[in-house]
Amino acid sequence: MSSDATAAPKGKRRPAEPVSVSEFTVTLPGVMSAEREDLRLGVHTKAVEGEGLRITCLKKSGRLIGWNRLQNTPPEQVQVGDMLVSVNGKRSLINVMVSVLEQPQGRGDNLQLVFQRPVYPERLKNILVIGGYDGLSYYGETELWDEDGHGFEDGPRLRVHRWGAAALPIPGHSLVLVAGGFDGSEHQATTEVLNTKCTNSAMQAEDHGFQMGPRMLAPRLGCSMVQLDARRVLVIGGYGLDSTEVLDLETMEFQPGPRLLAPRACCAAVVLEDGRLLVAGGFDRVGTTSSTEVLDLGAEGSLTDSAGFPRGGLELLRS
């Protein structure tokens, strides 16, 4: 398994604060399976030496999604970012755990999984400045400005340098999602996620800062993002693109969304009361555009009006 590398930070970092860890157990009844596919758990994992298997994705049809739907509260549900540390009593030995997960299982055999989840202390509220370009360099740095007025300080480093990326806070999942952009050599289909529960200084540590997220279906520079509901995020357009894609926050997987009527980059979008999405302005293949359209995730987008003046890089707010 490959690991993500990060460049050395430019400025001095404060040491990360220690965090506590909570553990919970998931017991699944046995299934008849001779397939080498993690006994149909429906997860993607990343090996972390000496710790276990970090959950990076949950599939819609997996057994762990089924487990989650039977639980009443998030602390009892398996989440992306949790660490699988024990399989049937085999603890923190990655090769042994993987071997157990690949063995056929009888109906009388229970599968006992132990997960760990970091518990972060309360943190300051911040304004986060992400990436950018100064005419010479594409930034992989971020900056934090705390609301108590202590000024700017170094934030967690991005895994990829990004200019023209989209960023979206997702409060219900305690995440910041960063998508697309340009790293100085190519448009990016990569995303990154930041756990916003951790303290400012804990964010400086590589294992608590930005982590690589799910890969989008297309590279996107100048895309926009909006949260549709508690479970879905829509990524919209980008330079030369009339496509959208939907991120399922439960499985952390992208699926194709409705097509725009025209390519849009640096556009704005807002969710309407009936659940449809108003998309306005941006840059098409010619220049700035004044057109708007309404997207319905159950149908194609439709042109509805003109914004009056061509506008790129605008924002839409419901008042």
Side-chain angles (χ1 to χ4, degrees):
M1 295 186 183
S2 62
S3 60
D4 301 311
T6 57
K10 288 183 178 179
K12 185 178 180 180
R13 306 282 183 185
R14 292 184 296 181
E17 296 175 3
V19 295
S20 59
V21 174
S22 66
E23 275 194 4
F24 62 100
T25 300
V26 172
T27 301
L28 300 174
V31 294
M32 296 298 291
S33 175
E35 301 177 14
R36 298 174 65 84
E37 56 166 6
D38 70 8
L39 294 179
R40 298 202 297 272
L41 293 183
V43 293
H44 294 301
T45 61
K46 177 181 178 181
V48 181
E49 192 63 38
E51 296 185 48
L53 299 170
R54 178 178 288 130
I55 306 301
T56 60
C57 180
L58 286 162
K59 303 176 186 176
K60 292 180 180 178
S61 59
R63 295 171 70 196
L64 285 177
I65 284 288
W67 163 272
N68 283 352
R69 289 172 180 156
L70 295 175
Q71 311 310 308
N72 294 322
T73 58
E76 301 167 327
Q77 298 171 346
V78 179
Q79 301 173 10
V80 171
D82 288 345
M83 191 77 73
L84 177 58
V85 296
S86 176
V87 179
N88 286 352
K90 309 298 183 183
R91 191 176 182 92
S92 299
L93 300 172
I94 293 173
N95 291 338
V96 176
M97 289 194 296
V98 170
S99 177
V100 173
L101 291 175
E102 290 180 341
Q103 296 304 312
Q105 186 182 21
R107 290 195 181 277
D109 300 329
N110 284 339
L111 187 65
Q112 189 173 73
L113 310 173
V114 178
F115 292 89
Q116 283 187 351
R117 180 178 300 157
V119 178
Y120 298 102
E122 198 67 28
R123 70 172 186 89
L124 297 173
K125 293 181 178 180
N126 300 297
I127 305 297
L128 183 63
V129 182
I130 301 172
Y133 175 61
D134 65 0
L136 295 174
S137 301
Y138 296 90
Y139 287 151
E141 294 81 15
T142 71
E143 298 181 49
L144 289 166
W145 182 76
D146 73 74
E147 295 185 10
D148 288 340
H150 296 144
F152 283 98
E153 63 179 75
D154 288 343
R157 283 189 65 86
L158 296 165
R159 299 284 172 153
V160 176
H161 292 220
R162 296 180 190 271
W163 167 68
L168 181 70
I170 307 173
H173 293 257
S174 300
L175 295 176
V176 168
L177 174 66
V178 179
F182 182 65
D183 67 354
S185 61
E186 60 183 1
H187 294 188
Q188 288 292 309
T190 59
T191 70
E192 306 185 35
V193 292
L194 174 69
N195 186 329
T196 57
K197 288 182 179 179
C198 56
T199 60
N200 290 3
S201 55
M203 285 182 184
Q204 313 305 328
E206 182 178 336
D207 56 341
H208 295 146
F210 279 101
Q211 304 295 324
M212 296 306 295
R215 192 173 183 86
M216 294 188 293
L217 304 178
R220 298 179 185 272
L221 168 63
C223 58
S224 301
M225 285 196 295
V226 64
Q227 186 168 359
L228 299 172
D229 51 39
R231 180 168 173 170
R232 298 176 301 164
V233 169
L234 184 69
V235 183
I236 305 166
Y239 281 97
L241 296 175
D242 63 358
S243 61
T244 70
E245 43 193 289
V246 180
L247 174 63
D248 186 320
L249 293 169
E250 186 174 285
T251 64
M252 294 303 280
E253 292 181 325
F254 283 100
Q255 299 292 333
R259 286 229 170 245
L260 302 168
L261 292 179
R264 291 182 190 270
C266 304
C267 62
V270 65
V271 179
L272 304 176
E273 288 187 355
D274 61 5
R276 294 179 302 161
L277 192 75
L278 174 63
V279 183
F283 297 89
D284 57 19
R285 289 193 173 98
V286 178
T288 54
T289 178
S290 61
S291 67
T292 68
E293 54 187 291
V294 173
L295 290 180
D296 186 335
L297 293 195
E300 293 295 325
S302 57
L303 187 64
T304 60
D305 207 345
S306 169
F309 295 97
R311 301 172 189 267
L314 72 163
E315 293 292 342
L316 280 179
L317 296 175
R318 284 183 61 192
S319 60

